[in-house]
Amino acid sequence: MYKQWCTLCLLPLCLCAFAPQCLCAFAPLCLFLFKGQTLESLTDSLINLKDPDPAKRREAVENLGSQCGHGAILALAECLEDPNRGVQQAVADALINIGGRETVEAVVFKLDHDSSVVRNLALEVLQKVGGQATDLLVPLLKRQSNDLRKAVADILGETGDASSVPSLVDAVDDPDGNVRAAAIDSLGKLRDTRAIPVLVKLLKARETWIQFSAAEALGKICDRETMKVLVEKLRHCDEITAFSIVEALGELKSKDAVGPLADLLPKASPALRNCVIKTLLLISEDHGYEIISRLGGKTLSTCIIDALGDEDPEVREAALKALGHVSSAEAAVPLLDYALIADKDEDKMALLREALKRTGAGKKFQSVVENHEKILLLSIQALGDLKEEPAVPSLIAAFGAASAPIRKAIVQALGNFKTENSFDLVVEALNDVDSNVRKEAIFSLGKQGFPESVEIAFSFLDKEPHKDIRDRAVDSLLKIYRSGTRKEEILKGFIQRLSSEDASFRELCVGAIGKIDFPEKIKRLESALEDQEWRVRNMAVHSLGALEPDPMIFPLLKKALSDGSENVRISAVQMVSKYEGEDAVEVLISSLNDHSAWVQFHAAEALGLKKEKKAAPFLLALLKDGDGPQTIAAIKALGEIGDRRTLEAIKPFASHEDLEISHAAGQALARLQTTAIGQ
């Protein structure tokens, strides 16, 4: 007690070392101290704010910010002037985290500091917390410093507090151009309709940049009258202002702007034209593409086709989305030409396929695909998406002499057709020399779902050598099963194959049985736990764990924790961790004694996620094993559990030579200290 009183007496002196005004922070700080935080640690933090080592200063800042709250604001605000950028940023982050009116009061005058770094940090803080004391900021719009007025105008736009709108309206007439620009921008961000009259007036200003800024701000204020004003201004303005108006109309997303925007296309420069197209698409996303498809007209279609070659990828993508909506068959050839130069991004290809599908131009593009495999591929995919049966004979005819990628695409497309001739070709493709074609064929067989597909799929499964294709065959059989077709036959087929000599085959069938509901499922999986191959036993554990928690299943998982395979025991721990209750906790604690470090790792991890306090002593015992993965998991788990009594045992690991261990210890200590403060 004597030591604490001595420290308390030293505290004002420590605060005076930074700035005299910090004394006023002492009273609230003292109140905080009696809520559980040790005086020694706070005193150390205050003293370390002047330490020559920037790492210690930064740590002190973080401690004060997290532990003292409002009591540390003045001391922290002074540290914005620290010579180290890392320390300065830590101060800014701490002040943002504390927030409140006191923070605004302490930081606001740093906006006029000689150092641009300090000014920018103050701006960063106030942009986040200034809304909590807008009344302190507004008067600064009248200060002499141009930089200060601009900074305040910028901050007010970020606060979301519309009470500053009248003052920002006045700032639009500021003698400094930068202040005016900041005020206009902030009026747009605040989205208050009271700003509309002054912004409309500014559309007639002599300076182009003011017109541009005003149009941009109006676009952020969703108001029907604003749209009318912008459309009228669009009819007679320079191109720079037109850019901002077009973008503003995109923000407003009013369908009434579609006509005027389309009228602008014939006389627009290429750059403005692309801006108009993007805006039309933004509006269409809200109101439906039919609003631009109704416009029709060669000019609109031609402009969008031209935009496919624009250097801006966003413009190309926007044109790709629109092209199928504003034209019919004439869009097919430009789209296919674009396919030749487009990258192979999956999303881009999906858009291209969708655009091709919308054109309905299957016959027209048939003549241009013969020499271009990439285009042929897209054409086949589009025909598959269309699901029009007249396309099937053409797809079948193209199969025989096609390359493997094209054969694969044809089989994929035919999976969308439930016709006899498409089924026959899919079955033929199951014997293709190319494994990717076979893999797609067995998938399409499942999609078609013919009853006779069951026997064919099992026959294919028995002879296919590649595991990934076998997996796909099982998926297809399960798909047919879920459709209600020959369910008993499919289940019987999987059960019969549990006796296969091929262990990988047995593993596959155990996984399949786990996904089918039938009365004897748990019994079958229990038998699989006795299989001589660990992969089969492991699959059985996963299949049991995937089921809803059941009193019959838990003993089987517990039994698997004695399996001779480390992998099986790891899986058993993971599955047991899904269960709640004392039994599951006891099993996990018992697994901490497993001779495998990785079993211990997963058991410790599970206990940490459960925040099980009774596991703390057993986790502490794991720390004695040194530097294995189980040590890392135990440290993390103790941090999650939050038992303060484990602090001292974890501390030595914070300086461990293994960076992963020291990092885990640091995080755990931080959590435990936070828990201690809360208590």
Side-chain angles (χ1 to χ4, degrees), residues 138-150:
V138 167
L140 301 180
L141 288 171
K142 302 295 185 182
R143 294 292 289 269
Q144 187 174 356
S145 167
N146 293 341
D147 289 339
L148 179 59
R149 297 199 308 280
K150 179 191 180 302

Side-chain angles (χ1 to χ4, degrees), residues 289 317 319-325 327-328 331-332 335-336 338 346-361 365 377-386:
Y289 283 100
E317 189 168 323
L320 194 58
K321 287 180 180 178
L323 199 48
H325 295 280
S327 59
S328 54
L335 282 167
L336 293 169
Y338 171 74
E346 288 187 13
D347 292 337
K348 189 72 63 59
M349 289 298 101
L351 283 175
L352 188 54
R353 287 168 57 189
E354 187 64 21
L356 279 168
K357 185 172 71 175
R358 287 173 182 157
T359 64
F365 65 64
L377 195 63
L378 285 165
S379 303
I380 291 168
Q381 291 169 335
L383 287 171
D385 290 342
L386 284 167

Side-chain angles (χ1 to χ4, degrees), residues 363-377:
K363 292 181 179 178
K364 180 150 187 174
F365 65 64
Q366 192 170 6
S367 62
V368 298
V369 301
E370 294 176 357
N371 298 318
H372 301 296
E373 184 167 290
K374 186 175 180 182
I375 293 180
L376 180 57
L377 195 63

Side-chain angles (χ1 to χ4, degrees), residues 273-509:
R273 174 205 65 196
N274 293 338
C275 184
V276 171
I277 289 171
K278 280 201 289 187
T279 297
L280 284 169
L281 286 163
L282 278 173
I283 297 171
S284 299
E285 286 175 0
D286 269 23
H287 298 284
Y289 283 100
E290 64 274 8
I291 65 173
I292 56 173
S293 65
R294 285 200 299 266
L295 291 173
K298 194 169 182 64
T299 300
L300 182 60
S301 177
T302 302
C303 287
I304 295 178
I305 289 171
D306 289 345
L308 280 174
D310 193 88
E311 61 182 17
D312 183 347
E314 288 188 9
V315 175
R316 295 198 299 271
E317 189 168 323
L320 194 58
K321 287 180 180 178
L323 199 48
H325 295 280
V326 297
S327 59
S328 54
E330 67 267 19
V333 174
L335 282 167
L336 293 169
D337 287 340
Y338 171 74
L340 289 173
I341 60 170
D343 56 45
K344 294 184 179 180
D345 175 78
E346 288 187 13
D347 292 337
K348 189 72 63 59
M349 289 298 101
L351 283 175
L352 188 54
R353 287 168 57 189
E354 187 64 21
L356 279 168
K357 185 172 71 175
R358 287 173 182 157
T359 64
K363 292 181 179 178
K364 180 150 187 174
F365 65 64
Q366 192 170 6
S367 62
V368 298
V369 301
E370 294 176 357
N371 298 318
H372 301 296
E373 184 167 290
K374 186 175 180 182
I375 293 180
L376 180 57
L377 195 63
L378 285 165
S379 303
I380 291 168
Q381 291 169 335
L383 287 171
D385 290 342
L386 284 167
K387 300 181 181 179
E388 294 181 358
E389 288 191 13
V392 172
S394 298
L395 292 169
I396 293 173
F399 184 82
S403 65
I406 298 300
R407 296 201 306 276
K408 176 187 173 184
I410 290 172
V411 171
Q412 182 184 41
L414 289 174
N416 293 321
F417 299 96
K418 197 167 182 178
T419 63
E420 185 176 343
N421 52 353
S422 64
F423 170 72
D424 290 342
L425 184 66
V426 168
V427 172
E428 178 187 334
L430 291 173
N431 297 310
D432 199 281
V433 294
D434 186 89
S435 61
N436 289 318
V437 177
R438 297 199 304 275
K439 187 175 182 178
E440 199 61 55
I442 192 63
F443 183 71
S444 289
L445 195 73
K447 285 176 67 178
Q448 291 176 329
F450 287 100
E452 51 266 51
S453 297
V454 174
E455 184 178 348
I456 294 170
F458 271 121
S459 177
F460 175 81
L461 184 63
D462 290 339
K463 66 181 182 180
E464 174 56 48
H466 296 295
K467 185 181 182 304
D468 62 320
I469 304 179
R470 283 181 172 183
D471 290 340
R472 184 64 68 91
V474 168
D475 290 341
S476 291
L477 283 163
L478 290 173
K479 187 175 183 69
I480 297 171
Y481 178 91
R482 286 191 288 269
S483 72
T485 302
R486 297 194 175 179
K487 297 176 70 171
E488 290 185 9
E489 184 180 337
I490 292 171
L491 175 59
K492 183 179 178 181
F494 282 128
I495 291 174
Q496 287 176 342
R497 286 163 177 79
L498 286 175
S499 58
S500 170
E501 294 182 2
D502 185 338
S504 65
F505 208 90
R506 298 198 302 276
E507 176 190 2
L508 200 63
C509 292

Side-chain angles (χ1 to χ4, degrees), residues 540-562:
V541 169
H542 277 280
S543 295
L544 287 166
L547 302 176
E548 289 294 321
D550 187 293
M552 294 178 62
I553 296 174
F554 185 80
L556 301 179
L557 296 175
K558 184 177 178 180
K559 179 182 177 182
L561 287 167
S562 302

